[in-house]
């Protein structure tokens, strides 16, 4: 068997390419519904004789999809991926983002890397999984709204928790260059709303400046970020080896000659397992409420801070000898494992009792960028991964035939 890790960009299977092209054509930017894509997958599986369950959001505009290939009376291996993509707004694309284009051993299009190619290869392989008896089933778990805080998959996991049989292990196909990832950071993202008191800027001391109050809290966050970078804790297996603290959005005020009566800003913690997100948040809140709020409320008792959690997901930190790690290494053909700073749904699967690793085609370096691409070599490696999984899940006498 040739070593695809060292091969020149091999040809990929026509069914994989066709499925990638079909999925990319759906504009599933997170602000949009993903139902057209989900219904396409449901109908594709139905044509193969597989029934799929849709788990909708509260508004019915989006849905997760769950389906089992093979026996339904036992837990198997979940292949998990999100169906949403990030926006193309204000990006300088040289190609149509919703149509596959090929050049220099690459497939270009929004979602080719993050992460429709994994979903497409899994779907394209479904007829092969179904072509003979599977001793252990394959479960397909496709979610919505991962890109805006892993908001969709909790509903799918809640559904699975109520089922008599659910997946035993999970492989989340985020782009890792087909390397096995056993750990990633957790994330907590927050919005702080600052309420001040408006006044004419010539009478600034009579008002409460919400922007300046926000700036002081952001300064605290900046100090916390510097402290983590200097003092840790550290884990050098990550490309950023410490917990990060980041402020990404700020809005407030109306015009220069009015003391701003409102401001909001968004910030996040991407934390190592050794750090507690609740403890980090408590530091920020204590500073705002004890160091800033009293002077604000001495002028206007209604002024102050309110806090809103935007999104959050747990980190992933598997032991190196976990069963799902051994499985993924055998399927990928590699012995090494790694850790990544970006978050995935694997932490949510794992915390729900379904051990999960991350392993999928493409590089995170290409994710979210204009002219996003995945290499044909990565897709071919993913196809080989599915081939090995198929052989692994068949009865041994069938696999040897």
């Amino acid at each position: 068997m040739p070593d695809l890790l060292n091969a020149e960009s091999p040809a990929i299977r026509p069914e994989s390419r066709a499925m990638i092209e079909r999925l990319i054509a759906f504009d599933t930017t997170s602000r949009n519904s993903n139902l057209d894509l989900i219904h396409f997958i449901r109908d594709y599986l139905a044509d193969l004789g597989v029934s799929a369950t849709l788990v909708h959001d509260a508004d019915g505009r989006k849905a997760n999809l769950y389906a089992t290939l093979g026996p339904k009376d036992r837990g198997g291996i979940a292949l998990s991926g999100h169906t949403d993509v990030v926006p193309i707004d204000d990006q300088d694309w040289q190609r149509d983002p919703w149509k596959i284009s090929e050049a220099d051993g690459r497939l270009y299009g929004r979602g080719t890397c993050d992460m429709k190619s994994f979903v497409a290869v899994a779907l394209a392989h479904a007829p092969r999984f179904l072509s003979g008896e599977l001793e252990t089933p394959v479960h397909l778990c496709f979610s919505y709204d991962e890109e805006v805080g892993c908001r969709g998959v909790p509903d799918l996991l809640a559904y699975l928790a109520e089922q008599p049989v659910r997946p035993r292990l999970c492989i989340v196909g985020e782009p890792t260059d087909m390397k096995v990832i056993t750990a990633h950071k957790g994330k907590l993202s927050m919005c702080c709303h600052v309420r001040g008191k408006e006044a004419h800027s010539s009478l600034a001391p009579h008002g409460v400046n919400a922007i300046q109050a926000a700036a002081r809290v952001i300064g605290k966050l900046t100090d916390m970020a510097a402290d983590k970078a200097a003092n840790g804790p550290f884990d050098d297996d990550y490309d950023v080896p410490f917990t990060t603290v980041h402020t990404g959005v700020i809005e407030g005020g109306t015009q220069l000659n009015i003391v701003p009566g409102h401001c909001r800003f968004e910030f996040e913690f991407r934390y190592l397992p050794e750090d507690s997100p609740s403890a980090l948040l408590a530091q920020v809140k204590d500073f705002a409420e004890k160091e800033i709020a009293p002077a604000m409320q001495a002028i206007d008792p209604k002024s102050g801070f309110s806090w809103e959690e935007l999104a959050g997901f747990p980190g992933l930190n598997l032991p190196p000898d976990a069963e799902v790690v051994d499985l993924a290494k055998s399927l990928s053909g590699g012995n090494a494992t790694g850790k990544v700073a970006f978050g995935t749904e694997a932490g949510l699967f794992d915390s729900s009792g379904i051990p999960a690793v991350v392993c999928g085609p493409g590089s995170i370096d290409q994710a979210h960028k204009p002219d996003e691409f995945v290499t044909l070599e990565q897709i071919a490696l993913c196809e080989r991964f599915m081939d090995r999984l198929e052989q692994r899940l068949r009865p041994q006498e069938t696999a040897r035939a």
Side-chain angles (χ1 to χ4, degrees):
M1 182 180 298
D3 182 4
L4 288 179
L5 288 170
N6 298 316
E8 296 182 1
S9 298
I12 63 173
R13 293 168 182 161
E15 57 268 33
S16 294
R17 192 188 195 286
M19 186 61 72
I20 295 171
E21 186 166 9
R22 189 70 184 90
L23 297 188
I24 295 302
F26 292 101
D27 178 358
T28 51
T29 304
S30 301
R31 61 180 172 237
N32 299 334
S33 170
N34 73 334
L35 289 183
D36 286 346
L37 181 149
I38 288 292
H39 291 164
F40 164 77
I41 295 175
R42 177 197 62 191
D43 296 344
Y44 167 81
L45 293 173
D47 288 342
L48 298 176
V50 176
S51 61
T53 298
L54 305 189
V55 181
H56 290 84
D57 68 350
D59 298 329
R61 293 184 61 249
K62 301 181 182 183
N64 304 291
L65 181 144
Y66 179 72
T68 297
L69 313 180
K72 300 181 185 299
D73 61 348
R74 67 202 72 172
I77 311 303
L79 301 177
S80 176
H82 62 82
T83 61
D84 61 318
V85 296
V86 296
I88 62 169
D89 305 16
D90 300 321
Q91 292 189 334
D92 185 18
W93 281 76
Q94 302 302 307
R95 298 168 171 83
D96 184 342
W98 311 116
K99 184 177 181 181
I100 286 292
S101 58
E102 181 177 343
D104 301 321
R106 301 170 175 178
L107 293 182
Y108 291 86
R110 174 56 89 216
T112 49
C113 171
D114 186 15
M115 60 173 293
K116 289 182 177 178
S117 288
F118 177 83
V119 174
V121 173
L123 289 170
H125 205 94
R128 296 173 184 260
F129 285 128
L130 296 167
S131 63
E133 179 184 2
L134 287 179
E135 188 172 53
T136 302
V138 173
H139 309 283
L140 302 178
C141 299
F142 301 142
S143 67
Y144 65 89
D145 279 4
E146 188 273 348
E147 294 288 8
V148 289
C150 296
R151 295 177 181 174
V153 78
D155 289 339
L156 175 58
L157 293 173
Y159 166 79
L160 293 177
E162 297 175 351
Q163 304 310 303
V165 176
R166 64 177 188 160
R168 188 165 58 88
L169 305 172
C170 179
I171 297 164
V172 177
E174 291 277 10
T176 67
D177 291 309
M178 292 306 299
K179 297 174 183 176
V180 178
I181 300 302
T182 61
H184 66 67
K185 293 180 178 180
K187 176 183 175 181
L188 174 63
S189 58
M190 298 290 301
C191 180
C192 177
H193 299 269
V194 186
R195 184 174 62 255
K197 179 183 179 182
E198 292 185 340
H200 193 284
S201 61
S202 66
L203 301 173
H206 297 175
V208 177
N209 191 312
I211 290 178
Q212 291 179 350
R216 291 185 64 191
V217 181
I218 293 170
K220 172 65 174 179
L221 291 165
T222 303
D223 291 343
M224 291 173 63
D227 177 70
K228 290 298 177 184
N231 300 312
F234 299 104
D235 186 337
D236 290 333
D237 289 338
Y238 288 94
D239 48 3
V240 179
F242 47 84
T243 293
T244 57
V245 185
H246 162 73
T247 304
V249 174
I250 183 167
E251 301 170 340
T254 51
Q255 65 183 44
L256 183 58
N257 63 353
I258 300 176
V259 174
H262 63 89
C263 185
R264 65 180 295 276
F265 62 94
E266 297 177 10
F267 62 98
E268 68 173 24
F269 306 107
R270 291 185 181 263
Y271 56 91
L272 295 176
E274 295 87 343
D275 274 323
S276 163
S278 59
L280 293 169
L281 180 59
Q283 287 186 49
V284 182
K285 286 185 173 181
D286 284 351
F287 177 80
E289 302 297 344
K290 296 177 181 178
E291 300 296 327
I292 306 174
M296 298 168 65
Q297 292 167 356
I299 298 172
D300 183 357
K302 295 180 180 179
S303 63
F305 301 89
S306 60
W307 310 85
E308 174 190 1
E309 181 174 335
L310 300 177
F313 51 77
L316 177 70
N317 193 29
L318 289 173
D321 59 349
E323 180 186 7
V324 70
V325 176
D326 289 338
L327 171 66
K329 288 195 296 186
S330 70
L331 299 179
S332 69
N335 290 321
T337 62
K339 301 179 182 181
V340 293
F342 64 87
T344 79
E345 294 172 335
L348 287 161
F349 274 94
D350 190 63
S351 64
S352 75
I354 303 174
V357 296
V358 189
C359 184
S363 168
I364 196 64
D365 291 341
Q366 306 307 324
H368 300 190
K369 293 182 178 179
D371 294 330
E372 178 183 345
F373 69 83
V374 66
T375 66
L376 298 179
E377 179 183 22
Q378 286 289 305
I379 298 170
L381 287 169
C382 190
E383 290 174 334
R384 180 63 66 196
F385 185 99
M386 297 297 174
D387 290 342
R388 291 171 176 155
L389 177 60
E390 177 191 344
Q391 292 299 311
R392 182 74 171 259
L393 299 185
R394 294 197 187 286
Q396 289 305 302
E397 60 272 15
T398 303
R400 289 192 296 266

